[in-house]
């Protein structure tokens, strides 16, 4: 997938202007000397901005995936049309050669050719075989012409769909701008915090994660889940583990950076299993399993809109690409709102 440029120059300035306009009466004063409650509000605002960016990211990825798949379909149909045309040309050449051979034979009636032949019985057999072969070739040519016309129609229809998808991709440029503005706004908000405030913000985030994880573990779910991964699951986990520390970049699927579904789809691809590119499609198309029956290698889908995904590695932990400004890391599986679990290698 092509790398989308990050926000630079006037976009960052625009985001900062937007931030100042939106928060002039509240955030500016609060950030000057924020107390714990204010930092909680900042954390909530950052979470919301990054969540909105991730939702938009997955929709952009989905549009890209559909356009790519349709382009491959058009290429496949074009290849089939080309092969049909080549076969049609060969059959027409065979029929032409047969007609020329008949012409060179003087165009004599079949009865005279039979009478003049040294072996009339053999001549009769040859004539019948030649006629059947010629008729068979003509029948194949007729069928092939019909097939070619059908393929042409299907190719034209597929190209029309591809045109619509490309138009949709262009429309998604607006969505890309929204992603970049939300990320820029969040980063601008973080940049206004002092070092001790950033440290406190990180503590608040960890406390919220730990609290959510403890609540999840109190349900007893970890007493029920499997601790054994399949061979493919182990390969997916090994791949994800090698990516630890690489930065989150929206729209990226490796090898140097990832977004959330870029990491999970690539992990399973390297395990030999092709799965959908986006978290929404992973949730929609992969087999669901109860959380209590999940095993290492399964994918945990987060939030009601299926906008985030992570790879479960066992012991109540996940590997994920969390959000802009962060890196692929290990975190508690229950630290976010779990929508459900899907299994790429369902067997």
């Amino acid at each position: 997938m092509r790398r989308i440029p990050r926000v630079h120059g006037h976009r960052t300035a625009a985001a900062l202007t937007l931030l100042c306009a939106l928060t002039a009466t509240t955030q500016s004063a609060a950030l000057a000397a924020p107390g714990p409650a204010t930092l909680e509000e900042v954390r909530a605002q950052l979470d919301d901005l990054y969540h909105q960016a991730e939702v938009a990211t997955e929709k952009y990825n989905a549009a890209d995936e559909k356009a790519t798949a349709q382009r491959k379909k058009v290429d496949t149909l074009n290849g089939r049309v080309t092969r049909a045309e080549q076969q049609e040309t060969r059959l027409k050449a065979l029929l032409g050669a047969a007609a020329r051979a008949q012409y060179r034979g003087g165009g004599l009636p079949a009865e005279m050719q039979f009478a003049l032949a040294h072996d009339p019985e053999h001549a009769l057999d040859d004539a019948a075989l030649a006629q059947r072969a010629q008729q068979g070739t003509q029948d194949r040519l007729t069928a092939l012409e019909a097939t070619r016309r059908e393929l042409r129609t299907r190719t034209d229809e597929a190209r029309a769909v591809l045109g619509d998808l490309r138009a949709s991709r262009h429309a998604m440029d607006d969505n890309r701008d929204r992603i970049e503005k939300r990320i820029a706004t969040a980063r601008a908000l973080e940049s206004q915090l002092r070092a001790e405030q950033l440290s406190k913000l990180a503590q608040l985030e960890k406390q919220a994660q730990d609290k959510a994880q403890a609540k999840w573990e109190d349900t007893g779910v970890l007493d029920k889940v499997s601790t054994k991964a399949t061979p493919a699951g182990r390969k997916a986990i090994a791949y994800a583990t090698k990516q630890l520390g690489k930065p989150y970049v929206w729209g990226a699927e490796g090898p140097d950076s990832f977004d959330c579904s870029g990491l999970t789809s690539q992990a399973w691809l390297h395990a030999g299993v092709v799965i959908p590119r986006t978290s929404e499609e992973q949730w929609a198309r992969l087999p669901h399993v109860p959380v209590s029956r999940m095993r290492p290698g399964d994918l945990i889908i987060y939030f009601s809109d299926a906008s985030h995904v992570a790879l479960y590695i066992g012991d109540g932990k996940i590997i994920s690409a969390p959000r802009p400004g962060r890196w692929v890391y290990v975190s508690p599986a229950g630290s976010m709102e779990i929508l459900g679990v899907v299994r790429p290698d369902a067997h």
Side-chain angles (χ1 to χ4, degrees):
M1 180 180 295
R2 66 188 180 90
R3 190 67 54 81
I4 307 297
R6 296 192 184 188
V7 183
H8 295 292
H10 68 278
R11 288 180 179 170
T12 302
L16 286 167
T17 301
L18 175 63
L19 173 69
C20 293
L22 290 174
T23 61
T25 58
T26 56
Q27 293 294 342
S28 295
L31 290 174
T38 301
L39 280 177
E40 282 284 8
E41 292 172 0
V42 170
R43 187 181 69 82
Q45 185 176 351
L46 287 171
D47 286 347
D48 182 59
L49 286 167
Y50 282 126
H51 178 72
Q52 290 179 49
E54 191 158 43
V55 171
T57 295
E58 290 302 284
K59 291 186 182 302
Y60 190 95
N61 289 340
D64 184 85
E65 184 180 37
K66 288 178 181 178
T68 300
Q70 189 66 16
R71 185 167 56 250
K72 289 180 180 178
K73 182 178 180 179
V74 169
D75 290 343
T76 298
L77 286 170
N78 279 332
R80 292 179 62 184
V81 168
T82 298
R83 289 191 294 274
E85 289 174 342
Q86 290 171 345
Q87 293 177 33
E88 186 179 347
T89 299
R90 286 195 297 270
L91 289 176
K92 284 181 177 178
L94 286 174
L95 287 174
R100 289 191 297 273
Q102 186 179 15
Y103 177 77
R104 285 195 299 270
L108 295 174
E111 294 83 0
M112 291 189 67
Q113 292 186 39
F114 175 75
L116 294 173
H118 295 295
D119 185 352
E121 184 177 352
H122 187 265
L124 182 62
D125 289 342
D126 286 347
L129 287 173
Q131 185 177 12
R132 285 200 299 271
Q134 189 170 352
Q135 184 59 51
T137 302
Q138 181 62 58
D139 292 343
R140 286 177 59 194
L141 180 60
T142 301
L144 191 58
E145 288 173 341
T147 299
R148 179 179 55 78
R149 287 193 297 270
E150 180 186 355
L151 285 171
R152 280 291 185 191
T153 299
R154 289 173 57 188
T155 301
D156 290 342
E157 292 172 349
R159 282 175 176 163
V161 173
L162 179 60
D164 291 342
L165 287 173
R166 283 174 172 165
S168 176
R169 274 286 304 278
H170 290 312
M172 290 300 290
D173 286 342
D174 292 338
N175 208 43
R176 179 188 64 189
D177 291 340
R178 285 195 293 272
I179 297 170
E180 293 175 340
K181 286 178 181 178
R182 283 172 172 80
I183 293 173
T185 301
R187 286 175 172 166
L189 181 56
E190 288 178 304
S191 71
Q192 295 184 38
L193 298 173
R194 298 187 298 273
E196 61 269 23
Q197 293 170 332
L198 288 170
S199 177
K200 180 61 177 178
L201 195 63
Q203 292 177 23
L204 291 173
E205 183 177 348
K206 186 177 185 306
Q207 289 171 8
Q209 288 185 348
D210 291 345
K211 183 178 180 181
Q213 178 74 2
K215 182 178 180 180
W216 183 63
E217 291 182 1
D218 285 345
T219 64
V221 65
L222 290 184
D223 297 329
K224 303 175 184 178
V225 302
S226 174
T227 58
K228 295 182 179 180
T230 61
R234 288 194 292 273
K235 289 180 181 178
I237 292 172
Y239 176 85
T241 301
K242 290 179 181 178
Q243 314 315 313
L244 291 173
K246 292 185 178 180
Y248 177 105
V249 173
W250 75 271
E253 48 187 340
D256 301 320
S257 57
F258 298 87
D259 62 19
C260 68
S261 57
L263 176 64
T264 54
S265 60
Q266 285 297 307
W268 273 100
L269 179 62
H270 282 75
V273 181
V274 178
I275 65 173
R277 167 65 175 87
T278 68
S279 58
E280 290 182 1
E281 285 298 296
Q282 289 170 7
W283 174 245
R285 293 165 53 188
L286 295 178
H288 292 202
V289 296
V291 176
S292 60
R293 290 181 52 203
M294 71 178 174
R295 66 191 182 200
D298 287 346
L299 303 182
I300 302 181
I301 309 295
Y302 292 95
F303 308 116
S304 60
D305 51 12
S307 59
H308 187 70
V309 61
L311 182 71
Y312 182 64
I313 61 173
D315 197 28
K317 297 178 181 178
I318 55 173
I319 292 179
S320 70
R323 65 171 177 79
R326 299 291 175 83
W327 295 263
V328 177
Y329 78 136
V330 176
S331 60
S335 60
M336 295 171 284
E337 173 196 343
I338 294 177
L339 176 61
V341 176
V342 294
R343 180 162 293 168
D345 62 337
H347 59 267

